[in-house]
Amino acid sequence: MSEAMELDWQSVDLKSARCVVWQKQGNERHVDLPPVVIRAMVSLQWREGRVFRPGGQKGAPKEAYHDTGRQYGGQIKSGWSYACKRAGLPGTVRRWTPKSARREKEWFVPDIIPHGLRHTWTSWHYSVHKDIMRLQYDGGWSTVAMVSRYAKLMPDVYRDEIIRWWRDGPEGLEWPEGEPSPSGRVSVQNEQAASFPPQEDKALLLARALLVAQEIIERQYETIISLERAQK
């Protein structure tokens, strides 16, 4: 969530459907944006400063959400509650009457937290591509073991539905009035990327090789430590 809230328009390329975010470790990560996300971003009325702002309206201030140093969240509490309620996701309704108030207030508390979407994306990604190394690279994890904490195996029957969701989003979602598609190739490119093995480039191959090498070294180190302890 912090990566999204810190995203600046200078790091977004709508035409190529990609953006750059920074992990808390300071690592640069490239994110491919499916057509449904491009569609949502095109609907925003500003193209400078932070992409996501408090209020989310046309006149929203350019300043970012409150910076917590990535120590805790809560900045999108209201928006998340409203989005989950509209989507029909499970949760509880809290009701109370504030002091010196006559009318009762209520607040929808979703069962799902924003971080849960990372688990969803990981499971969907593997369901479509069946490529654990690409998933590790795209997700920015240092080891395959970290990937396994997030990814859940899904029946293959959901693969086509995931691809349609990435392309079209929920039923009835339309482009903003008067706004053309940012690129007529976006939908086709993303659908092909989901349906066929990705074309490898040298940077991606090198990154994969480095990740594998790192994990092998870590495993060897753990084996050496275990042997030394056993000898003692």
Side-chain angles (χ1 to χ4, degrees):
M1 185 179 70
S2 57
E3 292 177 4
M5 289 193 299
E6 295 175 5
L7 181 63
D8 193 278
W9 274 111
Q10 292 182 345
S11 300
V12 177
D13 186 347
L14 293 177
K15 185 176 181 179
S16 67
R18 299 193 82 186
C19 70
V20 177
V21 297
W22 294 90
Q23 297 178 291
K24 59 183 178 182
Q25 300 88 348
N27 300 325
E28 179 180 315
R29 187 162 71 90
H30 295 263
V31 179
D32 292 320
L33 305 173
V36 66
V37 174
I38 293 292
R39 184 180 305 174
M41 295 179 72
V42 165
S43 69
L44 300 178
Q45 301 300 313
W46 54 89
R47 290 292 185 274
E48 296 181 354
R50 294 297 172 90
V51 175
F52 305 109
R53 307 172 186 175
Q57 302 299 323
K58 184 175 181 179
K62 293 184 178 180
E63 64 266 17
Y65 279 91
H66 176 64
D67 186 4
T68 66
R70 298 193 174 188
Q71 298 302 310
Y72 56 90
Q75 297 95 322
I76 63 169
K77 182 178 180 180
S78 297
W80 179 254
S81 171
Y82 182 59
C84 290
K85 185 176 181 180
R86 288 187 61 193
L89 297 176
T92 57
V93 178
R94 178 191 170 204
R95 293 183 175 87
W96 77 100
T97 302
K99 292 183 179 180
S100 305
R102 297 182 179 180
R103 303 180 65 178
E104 183 181 65
K105 288 190 175 182
E106 65 176 40
W107 183 263
F108 179 72
V109 182
D111 292 343
I112 302 172
I113 62 175
H115 190 70
L117 298 182
R118 188 154 169 80
H119 291 264
T120 301
W121 172 82
T122 307
S123 301
W124 284 17
H125 187 292
Y126 187 76
S127 176
V128 170
H129 298 293
K130 293 292 190 297
D131 187 338
I132 194 69
M133 297 308 299
R134 179 184 180 185
L135 175 55
Q136 181 183 352
Y137 177 81
D138 289 349
W141 288 291
S142 59
T143 65
V144 174
M146 286 297 298
V147 179
S148 63
R149 296 183 183 181
Y150 286 85
K152 303 295 185 293
L153 293 178
M154 300 178 62
D156 290 338
V157 68
Y158 292 110
R159 182 177 183 274
D160 291 341
E161 293 185 31
I162 294 171
I163 294 174
R164 285 198 301 270
W165 175 270
W166 281 345
R167 184 187 62 220
D168 303 327
E171 293 183 6
L173 182 64
E174 301 292 342
W175 287 97
E177 185 176 356
E179 290 282 355
S181 166
S183 171
R185 297 176 291 113
V186 169
S187 179
V188 176
Q189 288 177 343
N190 280 270
E191 186 175 2
Q192 289 178 343
S195 302
F196 302 99
Q199 293 184 353
E200 307 291 356
D201 55 38
K202 293 182 179 179
L204 180 56
L205 290 173
L206 176 60
R208 289 183 177 179
L210 291 174
L211 290 172
V212 172
Q214 179 183 358
E215 189 160 3
I216 292 174
I217 293 173
E218 291 176 353
R219 290 180 179 176
Q220 290 177 339
Y221 178 76
E222 292 175 357
T223 301
I224 294 173
I225 295 299
S226 300
L227 291 174
E228 290 179 349
R229 290 177 179 174
Q231 291 177 354
K232 292 180 181 179

